Amino acid sequence: MGSDDIFREVFNRGFIDMPERRLKKLDSLFEAFSVAAEGTYVYVCDMRYDVSRWSQSAVVKFGLPSQYMKAAGDIWEKRIHPEDKEVYHKGIEEIFTGVQYGHDMQYRALRTDGEYDVCTCRGTVLKDDNGNPNYFVGVIRNHGIQGHIDTVTGLRNQYGLLEDIQYNIENQFEMDFLMVGIVKFSEFNEVYGYNFGNKILQKFGRYLHDLVGNRGNVYRLDGTKFAIISRSFRRVDIPKLYEEVRRHLRTNFVVDDKPLVLDVCAGYLHVNYFDVDHETVYSCVNFAYGESKVRRQGNLVEFYNNLNNENKQRLEKLHSIRNSIVNDYEGFFLVYQPIVDSISERVIGGEALIRWKDEKYGIVPPDLFIPILERDPLFPRLGEWILRKSIESAQEMIKDNPDFVINVNLSYTQLEEPGFIDMVLGVLKDTEFPPKNLCLEITERCRLLDIQLLKNIMVNLRGHGIKIALDDFGTGFSSMSIVKLLNFDIIKIDRSFVTMIEEDEKERALIENFVDIASTFGAEVCVEGIETLGMKDILNEYAVKSFQGYYYAKPLVLDDFMEFIKAHSNK
C-alpha cells in the first residue's frame, strides 16, 4: 500500500485530524518493527492522535476493522476474555496516562471462529525530543499458532501432534500412535552438558524420521518423549519397529564419536474408533507410556491388547468422563468410608472416594479411570473439585464431632503442580475449614516424585496443621525408604496384608513389624480391609489406632454416611 493509499484509507476511516507526515512516520515505524519482529503481530500507535497500525495477520485472525484504527486499545479490549479485561484495561490506561512507559502482559483474545488464543503482549513508549510520550510500539505473540515446531529438533511438537490426531479423528482415518522416550536422560546432561544432550535428541529425532520415512510423521514432545503417527503401518509392524529402535539405541548410537547406550520405553494405541477427541487419545497413550516406564522395564505397552467392542466402549467411556470434568463435573459424586477407633469403634473420620455415574455406563469405580486421568491436563481441576466437595461435606460432620477428620486421596501428579499448596490452603480459607480436620493421603507411587519436592510440600502442609497419611503401606519396594525420609502422621496398612491374618501367623508378624516401624517414626497406624470380627480382635492385640473396612461399612453416599455416624456416636 503506497503513502497516498494509506492516507486515503485513514481519511476514509475518519482520522482526518492526523497530519500526513505523522501518518508516514507511523508507517515507517511499523515497517521497521515488522522486519525485526518476525513471527509476531506488530502494532504502532501514534499517541497524540490515538491512531494505530496493526499487522494484517492480526486483522484477519481476530476480525479487526482494518490495519489502521482509531482507539485501537478499545477495539482490541472487546476481544479480550472477560476474565482478563480488567488487567488489560488497567495496563493500557497506565500507558496513556503516563503512569507506565511499557507493559508485558498475557491474556486471551477472541478469534473470528469464537475460540480464544493465549497471547503475550509486550510494548514500550517512544518519547519525543522533549521527553513527551510520542508512539506506543509493541508485539503480540500468539501462542495458539506459535510453537508448532520444536526448536531443538525441527520436528512438529506436541501442539502439532494433537492437531494431527484431531484431523485424523474428524476424517475417520485409522492410525497408529506410538509414544517413545529416552529414560535416565538426565545422566547424559550431567556428564556431558545440555548442549550434548540436545545433540542426542536431535540425532534421535533424525533417526526416527529416517526410520519412519514417508509412512508417517514424527514429533518431539515434552522432555525426551517423541511420537509417531502413521496411517500406513500394519499393527503387527509396531512391535517390530519398536524393537528395531531399542536395538539401534543399545548397539549403534553414536554422538560426536561417543558410542552411547540408550534405554527407551513406549506406549501404543491403534485408533479405529472416532467418537473421541485428541486429548483422550493422548491420555491413553501417555498412560501406556507410563506403564512401560514404571512397571514393564521399557517393554512396549499397548493401551488395549485388542479392540473388541468392550475395549472400544472403555475408550468411549474415558472420553465421556473427560467431558464430564469440562461440563461442571457432571456425573461425578463422592462416597465416604468410615474410619473407626480400634477400641471404642466410634467414628473418628472418613475417607472420601470419587465415583462417576452415567445413564449409559452406570457407576464407574475410580480404578478404571483415575490411573489414566491422573496424567491428563484436566486432572488438577478434578483433584481440586474432590478436595472442595470433601471439605464441604465434612463441615456438617465436625459440627457434632469436632475431632472428625476427613481423608482425601492425592495423586502424585497433583503434587507436581506448582500451585498445589496454594490451592489446598485456598480451599481451606474459602470454606473456613479447620486444617486439623483434614488428612491428605499420598500413595507409595509418590516415589516417582523428587523426594525433596515431596518433603517440602509435606513440611509446608503439616506446618499449617494438615495431617498427612501414607496410603497402601507395604505394597511397593520403596515404602520403607519413604517412611524413613518423610514424617507422616498416619500410616495406612494395605488390606493385602490382613486378608489371611486369622489363619496366617506370618501376616500377624508383619503387622507387628509394621506397627513397630510406625511407632519408631511417630506415626499412628490405620489398618484397611477389616472384614470380620476375628480380624478386628486379632488386630486389637497390636497398637493399631484405627480400622477401615467392610466389617464396619462399605463406602456410603453422604446421607447414609451421616446416619452411620449418628448410629455409632454413642459407642
Side-chain angles (χ1 to χ4, degrees), residues 293-311:
K293 183 177 182 179
V294 175
R295 302 181 187 276
R296 298 286 297 278
Q297 292 78 51
N299 290 328
L300 178 67
V301 174
E302 185 176 354
F303 184 73
Y304 297 124
N305 291 325
N306 57 72
L307 286 177
N308 56 32
N309 289 333
E310 179 183 354
N311 285 329

Side-chain angles (χ1 to χ4, degrees), residues 1 10 22 52 57 112 114 138 159 223 256 270 299 335 517 523-524 529 545:
M1 182 181 289
V10 175
R22 296 284 299 185
S52 302
S57 54
T112 54
Y159 298 106
D256 285 353
H270 177 79
N299 290 328
V335 293
I517 291 169
E524 297 177 352
K545 171 64 177 176

Side-chain angles (χ1 to χ4, degrees), residues 155-169:
L155 300 169
R156 280 169 67 78
N157 64 13
Q158 185 166 324
Y159 298 106
L161 170 73
L162 295 175
E163 189 176 85
D164 291 350
I165 292 173
Q166 189 61 30
Y167 175 82
N168 286 343
I169 290 173

